[in-house]
Amino acid sequence: MDTDEVSPELTCSSCMTEVSEDDARYIAYSSDVSCVECSRYCEHCEDTGWESDSWYYVDQSEMWCEGCAENHANYCDDCNEYHTGSSFYVQDSNSSICENCIESFTYCEDCDEYYASACSEHDEERVIHDYSYRPDPIFHSMNDEDRLFFGIEIEVEAGHNRSEAAEYASRLEELSLAYLKSDGSLDCGFEIVTHPMTHEFYKTEAYELWNTLETLRSRNDVKVKAWDARTAGLHIHISRTGFNGGAHMHRFLRLVYDNQTLYEKLAGRSSSRWAKFDDAEQGSYDGPRDDDGNRTWTSRRNLKNKLENPRNSDRYSAINTQNHATLEMRIFRSSVNSTTVKAFLDLAHASVEYTRTLSVKDVREGALDDWRFVKYIHDKADVYPELATRVAKSVTLSEQIG
């Protein structure tokens, strides 16, 4: 018998795996033995707890145990995250808001309080609603059976034209097509938020929307900046009810995430801050340990987890899955050029419809390749005229044919 060999003397209380004394961890509140895989380490109190305990990211960087998060951090009711910075009380929603999110709320200088909507006593009439404004949606379609709806958010900077531009754009609210909101990411502008509409309704009936955008683009007294505004973006919400189910949504995500270059080119921007494509990457230690006790770190993309556990994904991603009723495409550069916005809308609609009936066999045979999707757009140029034109201008011939 080799006397230099030491048999494992400890057993993980969770998975019953034998662990050496050097690799063992001890649960702080019970002194139970745990292996590395079954336990976690609190970066605040430095205690060890079970992997199955409640753990929370604080400041989007550190993992804290439940006790430390509740007693030493502040929970924000807006972003639903814990922070160590200041917390502000919002009167009309009875909520606590972090210092990053509070910019989206209204501060009333007269009563020295924050509000989710307006201070009813001092600010009764507002053309630009507060960021938290959520009116009942007005659905516009050509067919009562329609289930696929799109909502567009267009962020614009207005500078010294802000009051005049907002007053003019507010006509869209009177027409039940859109409304205006403030946005903390803008310097001196507002956000145009449309009510849900079908692709067909946008193209054939929402002419007042397109006329309004073109006026904001060209008339000097109400002119705004969008495409050239570094602070502005354009987002398109897609109703989950318009998909055939989870598998369809997964194919849709794969089409976008597999073809980052194409989508960023057609969307007019690349943003690792506001529209990440690496948010679905997950890592883990795999394989046996080497002579130094280390294991290989492997990163994999997990779109299934992004759909099934959206709170574990990043809101500021190419496709935000955190909304209950919609998937949000955040990839677009802002624009008030009606042709460009229609092309963006076409891209969202085409992405959904192209992936609707694909089979597993189709996907395995390369149906999600970018050139196949480009061919689909060309073949459907009568449905997507603005997008087909944009593809022809933005994508080279060699890229189009793969």
Side-chain angles (χ1 to χ4, degrees):
M1 178 178 177
D2 188 350
T3 57
D4 291 332
E5 289 187 4
V6 178
S7 300
E9 299 177 351
L10 301 172
T11 301
C12 174
S13 299
S14 178
C15 67
M16 307 308 293
T17 300
E18 292 182 329
V19 291
S20 67
E21 187 170 352
D22 290 339
D23 290 337
R25 291 184 177 183
Y26 295 88
I27 305 302
Y29 51 83
S30 65
S31 298
D32 287 337
V33 175
S34 170
C35 63
V36 173
E37 287 75 13
C38 291
S39 59
R40 277 192 177 183
Y41 169 81
C42 175
E43 294 180 79
H44 183 258
C45 66
E46 300 184 353
D47 282 344
T48 298
W50 291 114
E51 171 74 23
S52 58
D53 292 342
S54 295
W55 298 89
Y56 301 94
Y57 276 108
V58 177
D59 294 332
Q60 296 184 335
S61 60
E62 293 187 351
M63 183 66 71
W64 287 19
C65 66
E66 184 175 22
C68 288
E70 291 184 351
N71 296 319
H72 302 288
N74 296 312
Y75 183 78
C76 175
D77 291 310
D78 190 48
C79 64
N80 299 315
E81 294 178 355
Y82 282 95
H83 301 270
T84 56
S86 300
S87 181
F88 301 85
Y89 179 73
V90 177
Q91 284 285 338
D92 52 345
S93 63
N94 191 29
S95 55
S96 296
I97 306 299
C98 70
E99 55 191 1
N100 292 326
C101 294
I102 197 63
E103 294 179 0
S104 301
F105 290 76
T106 299
Y107 176 71
C108 178
E109 294 184 355
D110 294 307
C111 56
D112 191 27
E113 298 286 356
Y114 283 97
Y115 293 87
S117 298
C119 172
S120 58
E121 182 179 355
H122 301 113
D123 194 5
E124 295 181 352
E125 295 184 4
R126 291 178 62 87
V127 172
I128 303 175
H129 299 282
D130 294 295
Y131 179 77
S132 58
Y133 179 67
R134 297 287 190 277
D136 291 334
I138 302 172
F139 291 86
H140 297 278
S141 69
M142 309 293 290
N143 187 327
D144 291 341
E145 301 300 317
D146 286 331
R147 292 293 179 267
L148 181 59
F149 290 87
F150 301 85
I152 306 175
E153 300 172 349
I154 307 173
E155 298 169 350
V156 300
E157 291 284 7
H160 64 274
N161 281 348
R162 186 172 189 261
S163 296
E164 293 81 1
E167 185 68 34
Y168 172 75
S170 66
R171 65 194 295 268
L172 295 172
E173 186 161 7
E174 299 172 5
L175 297 168
S176 298
L177 293 175
Y179 50 92
L180 311 184
K181 292 172 55 175
S182 62
D183 192 303
S185 66
L186 300 171
D187 294 330
C188 190
F190 52 86
E191 183 178 34
I192 303 170
V193 182
T194 73
H195 284 286
M197 309 180 204
T198 63
H199 181 263
E200 183 182 9
F201 188 93
Y202 272 113
K203 289 301 194 73
T204 61
E205 298 295 325
Y207 49 86
E208 287 295 349
L209 170 64
W210 309 122
N211 291 341
T212 301
L213 292 183
E214 286 298 329
T215 301
L216 292 172
R217 177 188 177 202
S218 59
R219 205 175 87 188
N220 287 334
D221 62 321
V222 296
K223 195 170 187 177
V224 300
K225 290 179 63 177
W227 190 265
D228 295 328
R230 60 174 180 79
T231 54
L234 186 151
H235 312 148
I236 298 180
H237 287 262
I238 309 171
S239 59
R240 288 177 180 257
T241 56
F243 290 87
N244 288 356
H248 183 195
M249 283 187 270
H250 189 272
R251 293 192 298 271
F252 166 78
L253 287 179
R254 272 205 58 185
L255 177 67
V256 177
Y257 276 77
D258 283 1
N259 300 292
Q260 177 179 352
T261 300
L262 173 65
Y263 274 86
E264 288 183 336
K265 186 172 293 187
L266 295 177
R269 75 167 182 174
S270 172
S271 176
S272 59
R273 178 181 181 185
W274 302 113
K276 303 179 181 71
F277 271 86
D278 60 359
D279 64 295
E281 298 294 328
Q282 292 185 333
S284 61
Y285 288 103
D286 292 333
R289 298 181 184 275
D290 60 22
D291 293 340
D292 296 324
N294 300 316
R295 301 199 317 185
T296 303
W297 177 263
T298 303
S299 180
R300 301 182 184 87
R301 192 176 66 191
N302 191 338
L303 295 175
K304 181 180 179 182
N305 183 66
K306 183 175 173 65
L307 281 173
E308 295 180 354
N309 302 291
R311 288 299 173 187
N312 293 333
S313 65
D314 196 323
R315 173 186 175 188
Y316 301 110
S317 56
I319 308 293
N320 171 27
T321 59
Q322 290 191 3
N323 298 302
H324 173 71
T326 67
L327 299 183
E328 179 190 15
M329 297 186 76
R330 298 179 51 86
I331 60 177
F332 303 103
R333 190 170 180 173
S334 186
S335 178
V336 285
N337 182 324
S338 60
T339 300
T340 301
V341 179
K342 288 177 183 177
F344 291 166
L345 177 66
D346 282 349
L347 181 60
H349 186 271
S351 300
V352 175
E353 293 303 328
Y354 176 69
T355 54
R356 184 175 298 280
T357 59
L358 294 181
S359 65
V360 173
K361 181 175 181 291
D362 293 332
V363 173
R364 287 175 177 171
E365 293 178 350
L368 298 180
D369 291 348
D370 55 358
W371 69 271
R372 295 180 186 271
F373 180 49
V374 167
K375 183 179 183 303
Y376 172 83
I377 295 169
H378 281 305
D379 293 343
K380 296 280 187 177
D382 58 327
V383 180
Y384 310 120
E386 289 84 7
L387 177 59
T389 300
R390 187 168 184 82
V391 168
K393 292 179 178 179
S394 303
V395 183
T396 66
L397 181 62
S398 61
E399 291 172 320
Q400 291 179 34
I401 64 176

